[in-house]
Amino acid sequence: MWVLFARAAPPDAPYWHGRRWLAALDAVGWPTFWLTVLGHAPARMGLVGPVLAALAVLVGLNRLRVALWHNHRYRFTT
């Protein structure tokens, strides 16, 4: 038997001047950091490296989309 609990959506974040662009920097900054870490890995990663890099790019694009067009739903990582 499965029991499902629905959570309420978090409230919209308050808007302030510059929030959209700061959110865009935050959204792109973390995936860029992880790509840099992957690029400086001391060992050869085989197929795992390119897969993680592609995943970081996809996550970054999704975060950027939310930061620019659904800014009231974006939560800062930094």
Side-chain angles (χ1 to χ4, degrees):
M1 180 169 125
W2 286 75
V3 178
L4 299 175
F5 295 101
R7 287 189 296 172
D12 290 349
Y15 180 79
W16 36 273
H17 185 68
R19 185 182 199 286
R20 183 176 311 266
W21 296 111
L22 192 59
L25 285 174
D26 184 64
V28 172
W30 281 103
T32 304
F33 167 74
W34 287 113
L35 287 172
T36 304
V37 168
L38 283 172
H40 288 60
R44 300 188 90 193
M45 298 182 72
L47 187 61
V48 174
V51 169
L52 288 177
L55 184 64
V57 169
L58 289 175
V59 167
L61 288 174
N62 186 41
R63 288 170 52 95
L64 184 62
R65 179 187 61 85
V66 173
L68 292 178
W69 286 285
H70 301 287
N71 191 265
H72 60 282
R73 291 289 180 200
Y74 185 79
R75 300 290 178 217
F76 286 93
T77 303
T78 307

